RNA sequence: GCGCCAAUAGCUCAGUUGGAUAGAGCAACGGCCUUCUAAGCCGUGUGCCCGGGGUUCGAAUCCCUGUUGGCGCGCCA
């Protein structure tokens, strides 16, 4: 158990008992009502102590007494906890402020050094399986900036889930079926015809990127003499050959690009496989049982309006081909029913948010409701030379994930995309990003780690295992230990709110507290006992910086 | 028209289970390297928390409403 959890539990218990005693003694009465949940917070101002509660200000309505009077009764009857609570004070309109025994903080240093790479982990969700689907970029072309953001967010969310005890599966949904694949094939075939001298118009809504032409050229280079053979084939056959070839190439490239980005998937789930395994039919049967499926105009519909949506949606088109929506339902039922995941989280771009309600509706109808959360990330707006760059996979004008990593590096990219919460609108200034490669906060964090490594390197062989941590009492040391104590809370909050940016901000906070400490006191001091204590402290800081870097998927360099 | 997300310092953004004096980075200016990494530290100031109502001991935070911006509302994915 982490120190803060322990202390908070004791404070709550103490307050509960104080309230009981105060009622018995007739200080005030709850008039038959339950004591509200006790809220504890860490006050912004140091002078208000280490913990504060507004309990006395929540009671006047029930007890019909002034908050100050209630606070006085509670504080007066609060049983001292030796070694934990030093003082109890009343302040302002009725806050009760607690000041803790300083020893609680030094214990954290020992705990971090003992737990090492496990410090920050909890078993809160132990035994539960968690499926995290992210990026799921169209395999018809290279990945873009939006995919880069989704990748950074998703991978850290997965990590946060693991740190809170979930058994996590990272998953990429490969959209290798449907209309865009047809378009992909048409585009490839059109380029083939043009390359081989035919005067053939390029489809208006085709993929105009260079990569399409490249695929065709590569195919021809790899299959010498195949040109005539291909020309003799019927167009559908030829399209299929090109699609199979280019899709495979694209997926291989995605694998390696994502590996460069530090992302490793456990499952690449093929949309096409849903058709081949009968998962679509099975899902449709499950939906039919809800009684909300009907036929009209030759198509099969799902009455999403039964579930609060604005209009119904088509499951099977007039031409008999299932919609993307139907596929997505089958896919998610596969996650929850077939594979039995306890929880699923998807990271989607804001342009897909309209899809959430109807997917949830269908899952409810099929009896798999309440298991899926969707994190919506706002789209990335790319700015270059002070102007917004329109990106489009269709026209092929875009900055790819690979370009980005080449420009600013994996660490900076991952950190940068997680600097803001997913639902904040993101303006990515390319000129700034290139310039920022040296100003990016990621270097600030990494520098703190490298500095600590440097100090420890110079004292190789120095043994501080018997350090007396109570010697740590400078304000900068206390501030640093307080940041250390917050780590597990940030992980929990990040997981709960599905917001990875908590961790980047925490890492910056910790690095900042360290840099301040470093400039204020000398670690490698002549006073041996103090030196031992400070070595124990910076060793703990280094450990937590490493753990945070692990979650963020960035390097913690030993030298810079 | 309807729905989702947003609006806080010159810029980019924190702060949202309602709390005490609304914060950080960048940018600007000044200071700190004869001892552990100056990619660092310290100091100097700026706010109609988009407007208007409401809820209450207390609102940047919750509710209603208006404005502005982004996105969505296909038998596309």
């Amino acid at each position: 158990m982490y120190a803060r959890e322990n202390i908070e539990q004791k404070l709550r218990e103490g307050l509960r008992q104080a309230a009981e005693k105060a009622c018995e003694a007739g200080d005030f009465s709850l008039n038959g009502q339950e004591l509200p949940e006790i809220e504890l917070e860490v006050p912004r101002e140091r002078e208000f102590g280490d913990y504060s509660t507004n309990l006395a200000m929540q009671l006047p309505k029930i007890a019909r007494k002034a908050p100050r009077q209630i606070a006085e009764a509670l504080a007066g009857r609060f049983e001292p906890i030796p070694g934990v609570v030093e003082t109890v004070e009343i302040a302002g309109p009725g806050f009760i402020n607690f000041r803790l025994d300083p020893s609680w903080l030094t214990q954290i240093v020992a705990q971090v050094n003992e737990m090492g790479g496990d410090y920050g982990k909890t078993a809160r969700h132990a035994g539960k399986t968690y499926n995290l689907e992210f990026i799921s970029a169209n395999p018809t072309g290279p990945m873009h900036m939006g995919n880069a953001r989704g990748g950074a967010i998703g991978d850290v969310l997965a990590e946060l889930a693991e740190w809170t005890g979930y058994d996590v599966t990272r998953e990429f949904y490969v959209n290798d079926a449907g209309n865009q694949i047809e378009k992909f094939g048409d585009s490839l075939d059109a380029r083939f015809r043009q390359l081989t001298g035919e005067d053939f118009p390029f489809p208006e809504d085709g993929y105009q990127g260079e990569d399409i032409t490249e695929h065709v050229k590569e195919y021809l280079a790899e299959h010498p003499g195949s040109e005539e053979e291909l020309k003799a084939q019927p167009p559908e056959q030829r399209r299929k050959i090109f699609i199979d070839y280019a899709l495979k190439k694209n997926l291989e490239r995605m694998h390696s690009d994502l590996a460069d980005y530090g992302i490793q998937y456990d499952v690449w789930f093929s949309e096409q496989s849903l058709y081949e395994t009968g998962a679509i039919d099975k899902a449709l049967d499950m939906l039919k049982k809800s009684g909300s499926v009907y036929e009209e105009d030759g198509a099969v519909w799902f009455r999403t309006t039964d579930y609060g949506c604005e209009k119904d949606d088509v499951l099977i088109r007039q031409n008999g081909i299932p919609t993307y929506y139907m596929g997505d339902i089958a896919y998610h039922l596969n996650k929850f029913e077939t594979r039995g995941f306890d929880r699923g989280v998807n990271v989607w771009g804001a342009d897909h948010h309209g899809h959430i309600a109807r997917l949830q509706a269908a899952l409810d109808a099929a009896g798999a409701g309440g298991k899926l959360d969707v994190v919506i990330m706002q789209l990335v707006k790319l700015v270059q030379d002070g102007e917004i760059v329109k990106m489009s996979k269709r026209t092929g004008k875009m900055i790819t994930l690979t370009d980005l990593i080449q420009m600013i590096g994996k660490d900076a990219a991952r950190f940068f995309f997680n600097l803001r919460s997913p639902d904040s609108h993101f303006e990515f200034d390319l000129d700034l990003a290139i310039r920022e490669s040296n100003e990016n906060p990621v270097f600030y964090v990494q520098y703190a780690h490298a500095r600590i490594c440097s100090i420890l390197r110079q004292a190789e062989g120095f043994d501080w295992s018997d350090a007396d941590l109570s010697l740590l009492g400078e304000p900068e040391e206390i501030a640093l230990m307080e940041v250390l104590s917050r780590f597990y809370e940030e992980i929990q909050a990040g997981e709960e709110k599905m917001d990875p940016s908590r961790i980047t901000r925490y890492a910056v906070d910790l690095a900042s507290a360290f840099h301040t400490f470093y400039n204020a006191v000398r670690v490698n001091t002549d006073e041996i006992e103090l030196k031992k204590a400070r070595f124990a402290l910076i060793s703990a800081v280094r450990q937590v910086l490493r753990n945070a870097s692990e979650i963020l998927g960035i390097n913690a360099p030993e030298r810079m």
Side-chain angles (χ1 to χ4, degrees), chain A residues 339-491:
Chain A
R339 288 187 281 161
F341 280 102
D342 297 310
R343 183 163 185 223
V345 171
N346 297 350
V347 180
W348 283 356
D351 54 342
H352 285 69
H353 80 251
H355 186 56
I356 299 173
R358 56 189 221 235
L359 178 58
Q360 298 281 23
L363 293 179
D364 281 348
K371 292 182 175 174
L372 179 71
D373 278 308
V374 178
V375 176
I376 283 298
M377 56 160 194
Q378 294 300 317
L379 301 176
V380 181
K381 220 190 294 171
L382 191 63
V383 178
Q384 193 169 22
D385 301 327
E387 275 180 39
I388 293 170
V389 183
K390 280 280 169 203
M391 284 193 293
S392 154
K393 189 172 280 190
R394 202 179 54 77
T395 61
K397 264 179 78 179
M398 58 178 185
I399 305 288
T400 66
L401 172 65
T402 317
D403 297 336
L404 180 72
I405 295 173
Q406 267 171 12
M407 282 189 294
I408 67 174
K410 175 199 84 161
D411 289 351
R414 290 183 67 118
F415 204 87
F416 197 69
F417 279 122
N418 275 316
L419 221 39
R420 316 262 176 263
S421 66
D423 61 7
S424 75
H425 296 258
F426 207 106
E427 203 168 279
F428 197 103
D429 187 328
L430 259 190
D431 312 309
L432 192 70
I434 296 165
R435 225 182 318 130
E436 261 197 1
S437 59
N438 270 327
E439 293 167 29
N440 194 301
V442 71
F443 294 98
Y444 183 79
V445 172
Q446 292 180 324
Y447 185 56
H449 183 266
R451 257 185 162 175
I452 295 172
C453 290
S454 169
I455 300 170
L456 295 177
R457 242 191 331 264
Q458 285 165 45
E460 224 163 307
F462 179 65
D463 178 22
W464 67 87
S465 54
D466 63 340
D468 176 7
L469 298 172
S470 69
L471 295 172
L472 300 170
E474 296 295 330
E476 293 83 5
E477 292 167 339
I478 289 169
L480 193 47
M481 290 187 282
E482 274 172 350
V483 180
L484 290 177
S485 77
R486 269 173 37 208
F487 187 50
Y488 87 94
E489 293 178 323
E490 295 296 335
I491 293 171

Side-chain angles (χ1 to χ4, degrees), chain A residues 15 34 38 45 101 129 196 246 253 257 273 277 280 284 292 308 318 333 342 376 388 399 410 437 439 468 484 533:
Chain A
L15 281 164
E34 287 286 315
I38 297 171
E45 302 293 326
D101 186 301
T129 55
T196 53
R253 188 175 160 195
D257 285 355
S273 76
T277 60
I280 302 266
L284 188 58
S292 294
Q318 220 170 28
L333 287 176
D342 297 310
I376 283 298
I388 293 170
I399 305 288
K410 175 199 84 161
S437 59
E439 293 167 29
D468 176 7
L484 290 177

Side-chain angles (χ1 to χ4, degrees), chain A residues 48-116:
Chain A
F48 297 134
D50 297 300
Y51 273 103
S52 172
T53 181
N54 62 355
L55 181 62
M57 287 179 289
Q58 297 192 310
L59 291 177
K61 247 177 286 180
I62 302 172
R64 299 199 196 94
K65 274 219 160 164
R68 290 277 313 197
Q69 280 176 290
I70 297 170
E72 269 160 41
L74 287 173
R77 306 218 176 252
F78 187 88
E79 204 71 45
I81 310 174
V84 179
V85 177
E86 206 166 63
T87 63
V88 182
E89 286 163 9
I90 300 162
F95 290 103
I96 301 172
N97 297 334
F98 301 94
R99 202 170 298 278
L100 302 180
D101 186 301
S103 69
W104 83 275
L105 267 178
T106 54
Q107 287 163 18
I108 285 159
V109 174
Q111 190 177 21
V112 174
N113 286 329
E114 198 179 306
M115 292 180 74

Side-chain angles (χ1 to χ4, degrees), chain A residues 210-245:
Chain A
E210 280 295 307
D211 54 305
I212 300 291
T213 315
E214 289 303 312
H215 280 310
V216 176
K217 281 185 184 164
E218 276 174 39
Y219 181 90
L220 293 176
E222 282 176 35
H223 302 80
S226 62
E227 196 177 315
E228 292 310 312
E229 202 180 308
L230 284 167
K231 283 201 151 178
Q233 300 260 20
E236 305 94 78
Q237 195 56 35
R238 200 165 53 222
R239 274 199 293 267
K240 191 179 173 332
I241 291 170
F242 283 133
I243 289 171
D244 286 349
Y245 173 81

